Amino acid sequence: MVYQTATPESFIDDYRAQMKAKLVEQMVGKKLDQLRTPSLVINKSILQRNCQKLSKITTGLKSTRIRVHVKTHKSVEGARIQLENAQTDAIVVSTLPEAYAMINSDLTSSGLLKQVLVGFPITADKFNDIFDLSCKVDVFQIFIDNVATLEALESYCESAGSQKKINAFLKVDCGYGRAGVPIHDEKTLLLAKRLFESPHVEFTGIYTHAGHSYSSQSSDEALEYLKNECDIARQFKDYFVSNGVPINYVSIGATPTVKATTAFMDRLDMNYILRDIDEVHAGAFAFLDRQQVATGLGTYHDVAISVACRIASVYQERNSILIDGGALAFSKDTAPQGGFGYVIDPAVKDDVKIMASLTKVSQEHGILQHLDESTLSRPELQIGELVRVIPNHCCLAAACHLYYLVVEDGSDVVVDVWVPVRGW
């Protein structure tokens, strides 16, 4: 049997609770410019509105539900907002520490959270943990996309004398090419049959992720990605069913395709487009970012995340400004707009005007470049002032920070501090 690694969940939970208590005491009630930078800032009001838009799926579609991904924020507080406002009880996590944090919290004990899926193909060293977690929540699910993993799971169960079945999705590839099995392949069909027949698995169904839909640059393009993902998922289902493998549940999704679902619900027959699709899932929808704005399915007023940075120096001779947020505050993820972030003009309320672009980053340095003389002379862009930069990718930007400062509406006063789960 494969040696079992372990998730130190009690240590992680204790650390987060103690850290949060101290940070709340020190930071709540203070303005952002009174606190150390760079810091990740979450606008709770926008976050709630973004999640409420997803509830249209729950209330407006006949047989398709929503599952929310918590990997962006990795926090119990963020998950609560997602579950309550999107009106669902199901989440996806990326790591086992996330799973433990969510399941050990009052999200589960209160009945708000009932389904937890680990959104990464499981490896054999984690079997102890997944069976432990499966006893703590109504439904615990994993991915399997290789027969060797299934054989290792069956061997583990037989060695341990376990009679408990684990819920497993078969991850299938709908064109993204990252994880999942291909269609019309003998090995794929064999794995599906083995999952269905295994005495140690409760075969949940199939799961797709259209990650390539992030390249869409209009709502119509995102809609086409949605239609294509649905078509491929149905092809997988038909392929398996025609070969004697029942498929009782189909889950699809990515933020652009799910946002297309809500955007076109009042104009198109979304029940038809999503026929035979039992669930859609998304994660970045809650925060959004420059990358998601580029899809045409939202504006910068819909982005709930920013990185607060201080201006360290102004270089009139080269039309640039140095800020104290670099790659370790933003990551180096790309966006169609180029560069690494935007500073939105705070003086423009009814529209969006980009005041400056973060065009270059190194480890701790960020450079706002190509600024004209009038922009360089603005009082908001002088040494010591605070700017809030919208990052390219909310998930990777959030992963750079030990804690998040939470504000509401247009205020810059901190109302809460969230400490995310870290580690694998």
Side-chain angles (χ1 to χ4, degrees):
M1 187 171 69
V2 174
Y3 184 81
Q4 296 297 296
T5 59
T7 301
E9 79 279 1
S10 60
F11 167 77
I12 292 173
D13 288 344
D14 290 345
Y15 165 78
R16 288 174 51 251
Q18 292 171 18
M19 186 174 178
K20 178 182 175 74
K22 290 181 179 179
L23 292 172
V24 166
E25 181 181 358
Q26 294 172 5
M27 297 179 176
V28 168
K30 288 186 171 64
K31 293 186 175 182
L32 293 175
D33 64 5
Q34 295 176 287
L35 299 173
R36 185 64 60 87
T37 54
S39 290
L40 190 112
V41 181
I42 296 172
N43 188 312
K44 184 179 177 181
S45 304
I46 297 176
L47 174 61
Q48 290 172 326
R49 289 199 296 271
N50 289 341
C51 295
Q52 286 165 2
K53 291 176 183 177
L54 280 197
S55 67
K56 290 176 64 177
I57 293 171
T58 308
T59 59
L61 296 178
K62 292 179 181 178
S63 57
T64 304
R65 58 176 293 162
I66 181 74
R67 184 190 293 261
V68 294
H69 207 315
V70 304
K71 70 166 182 146
T72 303
H73 53 84
K74 300 177 184 281
S75 67
V76 172
E77 297 94 335
R80 179 176 290 106
I81 289 173
Q82 288 177 293
L83 292 166
E84 289 178 344
N85 289 276
Q87 298 185 39
T88 181
D89 60 11
I91 66 171
V92 193
V93 300
S94 284
T95 67
L96 292 184
E98 289 171 48
Y100 273 108
M102 304 303 154
I103 291 173
N104 288 341
S105 74
D106 64 352
L107 297 177
T108 303
S109 58
S110 67
L112 188 61
L113 174 61
K114 295 182 179 179
Q115 293 191 48
V116 177
L117 165 66
V118 180
F120 189 93
I122 201 68
T123 55
D125 63 299
K126 299 180 178 70
F127 290 157
N128 275 355
D129 273 0
I130 65 172
F131 278 94
D132 178 42
L133 286 161
S134 69
C135 298
K136 298 179 177 182
V137 67
D138 289 4
V139 180
F140 186 81
Q141 300 152 319
I142 62 171
F143 283 162
I144 291 179
D145 72 351
N146 194 293
V147 70
T149 304
L150 174 60
E151 290 173 348
L153 177 66
E154 291 174 332
S155 176
Y156 170 91
C157 291
E158 290 165 5
S159 298
S162 173
Q163 300 300 311
K164 183 177 177 62
K165 290 187 175 183
I166 198 75
N167 295 284
F169 274 103
L170 173 58
K171 179 73 180 288
V172 300
D173 179 27
C174 66
Y176 188 25
R178 185 177 68 180
V181 294
I183 197 169
H184 300 310
D185 184 281
E186 288 186 6
K187 292 181 180 179
T188 296
L189 182 58
L190 173 63
L191 176 57
K193 288 181 176 179
R194 288 283 305 273
L195 285 167
F196 175 64
E197 296 169 354
S198 176
H200 303 292
V201 169
E202 191 68 44
F203 186 29
T204 304
I206 58 176
Y207 184 105
T208 73
H209 172 58
H212 48 312
S213 66
Y214 276 51
S215 64
S216 59
Q217 296 190 39
S218 71
S219 56
D220 287 336
E221 283 188 23
L223 177 63
E224 290 306 308
Y225 276 107
L226 170 64
K227 291 178 178 178
N228 186 62
E229 185 178 12
C230 291
D231 287 343
I232 293 175
R234 284 188 286 265
Q235 290 171 24
F236 267 104
K237 180 177 180 178
D238 292 345
Y239 174 58
F240 291 139
V241 171
S242 65
N243 283 279
V245 182
I247 300 296
N248 298 318
Y249 203 82
V250 178
S251 180
I252 67 131
T255 289
T257 56
V258 172
K259 284 184 67 63
T261 301
T262 58
F264 286 93
M265 276 182 65
D266 298 331
R267 289 178 276 170
L268 299 174
D269 186 352
M270 200 54 64
N271 283 304
Y272 177 76
I273 292 172
L274 290 167
R275 65 193 183 280
D276 298 327
I277 306 300
D278 301 285
E279 175 183 278
V280 295
H281 50 83
F285 78 92
F287 283 3
L288 301 181
D289 47 38
R290 285 179 83 219
Q291 193 176 59
Q292 293 298 332
V293 172
T295 67
L297 290 161
T299 74
Y300 289 105
H301 289 312
D302 300 317
V303 178
I305 185 175
S306 61
V307 180
C309 302
R310 269 194 176 78
I311 295 175
S313 198
V314 178
Y315 307 106
Q316 298 277 353
E317 68 280 3
R318 54 179 182 260
N319 302 318
S320 66
I321 290 174
L322 174 68
I323 61 174
D324 63 358
L328 294 184
F330 291 94
S331 87
K332 286 193 173 182
D333 214 21
T334 59
Q337 300 93 323
F340 299 93
Y342 277 157
V343 179
I344 305 301
D345 192 337
V348 179
K349 301 299 182 184
D350 298 328
D351 200 357
V352 173
K353 181 179 179 182
I354 297 164
M355 186 165 63
S357 177
L358 177 61
T359 54
K360 185 178 180 180
V361 294
S362 50
Q363 183 166 315
E364 311 294 352
H365 299 68
I367 307 293
L368 309 178
Q369 291 181 307
H370 314 304
L371 305 175
D372 58 33
E373 186 176 341
S374 62
T375 302
L376 284 168
S377 64
R378 291 186 59 153
E380 303 99 320
L381 295 180
Q382 301 311 302
I383 293 175
E385 294 297 319
L386 197 77
V387 292
R388 288 168 64 180
V389 185
I390 293 177
N392 283 349
H393 187 189
C394 56
C395 302
L396 281 176
C400 296
H401 296 262
L402 286 175
Y403 57 85
Y404 312 144
L405 303 178
V406 181
V407 299
E408 291 180 315
D409 296 317
S411 173
D412 63 350
V413 176
V414 176
V415 298
D416 200 2
V417 183
W418 297 353
V419 180
V421 179
R422 291 290 178 245
W424 293 270

